[in-house]
Amino acid sequence: MNATMYVKWLLWAACLAGIAPLRAAAAADDCRGPSDDCVAVGHWNFSVALGAGVRTNPLVNGEDIPLVVIPQFSYYGKRFFIDDLDVGFTLAENASNTLSLVASPGYDRVYFYRTDLQNFFIVGFSPSGPAIYTTNMQLATSLGAPQVAPPPRRVTYLAGPEWTFKAGGISGQLDVLHEVTGQNGGDEVRAALGIPLMESKGKLTANVGVTWKSAAIVDYYYGISTIYQGRAALDPFVKLGYTLPLAGKWHFNAFAEYETLGSAIADSPLVAEHHVETVFVGAVYTF
């Protein structure tokens, strides 16, 4: 995505968020947040999920990532907000649309490093470093390339406009992001819809979406010098989630997600599986 196209995306998102007049800043006891749950403005929110789950690792010789303890934290001010590792600032909002500037970490690094921030509280990580380094060396040797250590995949952050909306019970999100930490200079577009399926005592929801990653991002994570050069990729996903209130501050939570990797990622010699599966069943305690 070149600079001209990126500006067009930004202007388009700004127009969408400006469909209705801006409302006045929320009062201190108002609520806001990314879901139907009410979140008090100006307060920190903490919760922790305890249960059993796993996220599969699509890399060659990659170990699946266990999900046992999953902490969450957020803060929503009148404009500034933090949601786990994401930070943002709301530029404009009305009853159904919000336009913000956000910064979010690059996701693909989680497969290469158990010590990545997005795996920080997952039990069983190895402090010895990414096993994929050995895999890269083996692949390079078998394909006749020199035995040189591959470059590290460093922590990256992407930043750009985010548009969220609600209409008829359906919520949506569109992020147009550019890597700003100077590691690959790539672009990423994230789009998703949240659809309520059933609501009685518990709530069943579905999320469907897609992530577009530029060639620069795909090559940074999945390319191998002189052997494979990454191209732009489109990764669709679907997720089902169920929540049920329990006693006190506890509630039951279960979800399953299936993501298909784009051909430009799946074709990399570093990748063995063409999809990623995530499942979790447990209980969440809200502090």
Side-chain angles (χ1 to χ4, degrees), residues 58-263:
L59 300 180
V60 174
N61 296 334
E63 296 182 0
D64 293 343
I65 302 166
L67 305 177
V68 179
V69 180
I70 306 176
Q72 293 180 309
F73 63 93
S74 64
Y75 172 86
Y76 284 88
K78 293 183 178 180
R79 294 295 177 185
F80 175 77
F81 60 88
I82 300 174
D83 195 343
D84 290 333
L85 299 178
D86 295 349
V87 297
F89 185 84
T90 300
L91 299 175
E93 61 180 337
N94 56 47
S96 57
N97 297 275
T98 302
L99 177 65
S100 304
L101 290 178
V102 299
S104 179
Y107 178 74
D108 296 76
R109 191 176 185 270
V110 299
Y111 304 126
F112 295 87
Y113 293 86
R114 287 294 185 89
T115 52
D116 183 86
L117 291 175
Q118 295 174 93
N119 289 330
F120 187 74
F121 284 106
I122 294 178
V123 174
F125 70 86
S126 170
S128 60
I132 192 63
Y133 273 23
T134 302
T135 302
N136 279 348
M137 291 285 288
Q138 293 170 346
L139 283 169
T141 301
S142 65
L143 295 175
Q147 292 192 20
V148 294
R153 282 82 173 173
R154 303 187 186 279
V155 174
T156 63
Y157 256 81
L158 300 99
E162 175 182 86
W163 172 51
T164 61
F165 69 89
K166 292 184 178 181
I170 296 176
S171 58
Q173 178 176 323
L174 174 66
D175 294 43
V176 183
L177 308 174
H178 178 75
E179 195 272 318
V180 294
T181 43
Q183 300 302 323
N184 56 67
D187 299 296
E188 191 166 302
V189 178
R190 305 171 182 175
L193 290 175
I195 305 169
L197 300 179
M198 181 189 73
E199 185 169 2
S200 55
K201 187 176 181 180
K203 181 187 296 184
L204 177 66
T205 59
N207 290 274
V208 295
V210 65
T211 302
W212 177 85
K213 301 173 184 180
S214 70
I217 288 181
V218 174
D219 189 59
Y220 181 74
Y221 290 106
Y222 303 101
I224 304 176
S225 178
T226 73
I227 298 176
Y228 184 78
Q229 183 174 0
R231 311 179 309 276
L234 198 66
D235 298 353
F237 70 88
V238 59
K239 178 180 179 180
L240 291 176
Y242 180 74
T243 60
L244 176 68
L246 301 175
K249 296 183 178 181
W250 290 91
H251 67 270
F252 172 80
N253 179 268
F255 68 86
E257 181 176 357
Y258 185 92
E259 179 183 11
T260 300
L261 301 179
S263 59

